[in-house]
Amino acid sequence: MKIKNIVLASAVLASVSSFSQKDELKKLKKIYEKTTPTISDVSDYKATLNALQPLATAEADNVYYGFYKAMTPIVEIISLGATATPEKKAQIATPKVVAEVEKGLNATLDYEKKVGKKVYTDDILAKIAFFKPELLNGAIALGDAKQYKEAASLLHSIYMLDKNDVDMLFYAAGYSVNAEDYNKAIEYYNELKKLNYSGESIIYYATNKATKVEENFGSKQLRDISVNSAKTHEKPRDEKTPSKRGEIYKNVALILVQQGKTNEAITAIQDARKINPDDESLLFTEMDLYLKLNDFDKYTLLVNEALAKNPNNADLVFNLGVISGNAEKIEEAKKYYMKAIEIKPDYVNAYVNLSEVMLRADEKFVDEMNKLGTSEKDNKRYAVIKAEREKNFKSILPYLEKAVELDPTNEPAKKTLLSVYNALEMTDKYKALKAKM
């Protein structure tokens, strides 16, 4: 008999706890559903949440505790009234808070889908649709303020709240790169790759008859209504935005290089080129990877591949000059620099580098001159070498002068030109240039 009494007492206690719990949920629901909750209501809401937390042990009650907790900043923002500024709202809905809101709302959506009973699903979806533009504006503002990590977090939360809007994940990855949060960027880019995201879309334009300004419509249907039914617009046109897959793979490769994972980077960029064979930027990225690895043979091979598609790319030709110059292939380097100048006559660095490789011969001349003695034979040889040296200086002179003419602020070029003037005993030009330095 005593055992039964104990069990009965426990049951009574559990029942009291359950009733208390239900009362807390009812109170939260009542405040949450108010059109204009007061500041006092917000305080009561938070206090009730604190009271409910230790009581919400059952799955359903724990889920709805999480829901009401997630909705706390929403209730706070609504309590501010219609005159609340975006700045004031942003102080409440920080990226960290929004991330917590997203977890709570998605947990509720998942639970209601599992049990097959919608209590707050429709309300949550409506709230997401209503607040999403404000969250996006907040993310843009954070980006403009160079708070890239916070912007990325907010954009990722927007994506998690509406997974149909994959563009948000793409922009979150981009901001993560700007924030140098490379692990997050890789995580987001890999998710985009799994989703086979391309970012391609069609923009629907038409020209406003009254203002003569071309306007962007949100959909083909709206554009067609304005053109065909309302007759307010004309000259409809569609514009397809390019695929972003190339950019995704390229950024992944660059991040892997930044992290020292060069082999993974090469694999990533090669995969990207298979998907986007006509994307020249991917070819350049692979070239840069091999350059960083000092694999000049593969680099040169890729440069020639790029030049086959675009033979008038002065930068590519210039780069071949650099590679040849570093390999002490002087005549080859000169050929490439001359070709770069032919393509781009104002290419300052090509003039400077051409002068530099041509000047390398001077060391050989000076070494031999210093080794000669004072015999008649040595004196004759000295005169020959001196003449060859002066000839080399004179051949370099026009390229150095052109470099300084194109870029008067180029100090290394001016110093080298000054040395050449001095060696050729061009006193007037030496003094005139020296006076400008």
Side-chain angles (χ1 to χ4, degrees), residues 106-371:
N106 275 323
T108 308
L109 290 171
D110 290 343
Y111 174 76
E112 293 190 354
K113 184 178 181 180
K114 182 179 78 171
V115 299
K117 184 180 179 182
K118 290 184 178 181
V119 177
Y120 282 114
T121 293
D122 292 340
D123 180 64
I124 289 171
L125 296 178
K127 286 286 196 301
I128 290 171
F130 181 80
F131 283 101
K132 184 177 169 182
E134 289 197 41
L135 292 175
L136 180 55
N137 288 335
I140 292 169
L142 287 168
D144 289 343
K146 297 185 178 180
Q147 294 178 261
Y148 300 127
K149 190 170 185 176
E150 293 78 4
S153 173
L154 194 49
L155 286 165
H156 183 256
S157 294
I158 296 172
Y159 163 69
M160 293 299 291
L161 289 166
D162 179 8
K163 288 197 173 182
N164 291 319
D165 196 349
V166 190
D167 287 339
M168 296 300 103
L169 182 60
F170 175 77
Y171 294 126
Y175 274 125
S176 294
V177 172
N178 291 343
E180 297 183 5
D181 189 355
Y182 297 125
N183 289 333
K184 276 294 178 189
I186 286 282
E187 177 187 330
Y188 297 159
Y189 281 131
N190 283 338
E191 179 67 17
L192 289 164
K193 287 162 66 178
K194 286 179 187 175
L195 294 169
N196 199 28
Y197 170 80
S198 73
E200 291 175 309
S201 63
I202 297 176
I203 305 173
Y204 300 98
Y205 291 103
T207 301
N208 188 308
K209 289 181 179 179
T211 64
K212 306 300 180 185
V213 174
E214 188 176 59
E215 296 174 356
N216 175 9
F217 288 78
S219 69
K220 184 178 187 298
Q221 184 181 12
L222 286 174
R223 193 272 307 278
D224 290 350
I225 289 172
S226 299
V227 173
N228 302 322
S229 302
K231 306 288 186 183
T232 56
H233 291 72
E234 60 183 355
K235 300 177 183 176
R237 74 175 181 91
D238 299 346
E239 183 179 300
K240 187 177 180 180
T241 61
S243 171
K244 295 184 177 73
R245 286 197 186 103
E247 184 178 346
I248 291 167
Y249 279 88
K250 177 182 177 181
N251 286 348
V252 167
L254 292 175
I255 291 167
L256 290 171
V257 170
Q258 183 77 19
Q259 296 176 330
K261 301 174 182 176
T262 49
N263 290 333
E264 291 179 45
I266 289 170
T267 300
I269 203 66
Q270 288 176 344
D271 288 344
R273 289 194 64 199
K274 288 174 187 175
I275 296 170
N276 305 272
D278 298 324
D279 190 332
E280 199 175 58
S281 68
L282 292 175
L283 174 56
F284 291 153
T285 300
E286 189 175 4
M287 284 161 46
D288 288 343
L289 292 182
Y290 285 120
L291 192 59
K292 285 181 172 67
L293 291 170
N294 294 324
D295 190 338
F296 301 124
D297 290 339
K298 287 185 179 178
Y299 175 82
T300 302
L301 192 68
L302 290 172
V303 170
N304 284 318
E305 180 185 336
L307 283 171
K309 297 178 181 179
N310 184 5
N312 290 321
N313 188 318
D315 290 332
L316 292 179
V317 177
F318 174 84
N319 287 348
L320 288 177
V322 173
I323 297 298
S324 298
N326 289 340
E328 292 299 326
K329 298 176 181 178
I330 305 303
E331 291 306 313
E332 197 174 278
K334 286 163 64 175
K335 180 187 73 174
Y336 286 128
Y337 289 135
M338 292 291 285
K339 180 64 176 176
I341 290 167
E342 181 185 329
I343 296 169
K344 187 180 179 183
D346 62 348
Y347 204 147
V348 175
N349 287 339
Y351 287 105
V352 173
N353 282 24
L354 175 58
S355 303
E356 188 275 326
V357 294
M358 292 173 72
L359 268 172
R360 291 186 196 180
D362 193 55
E363 185 177 351
K364 180 185 69 175
F365 294 140
V366 172
D367 284 346
E368 188 175 353
M369 290 168 76
N370 287 336
K371 290 176 184 177

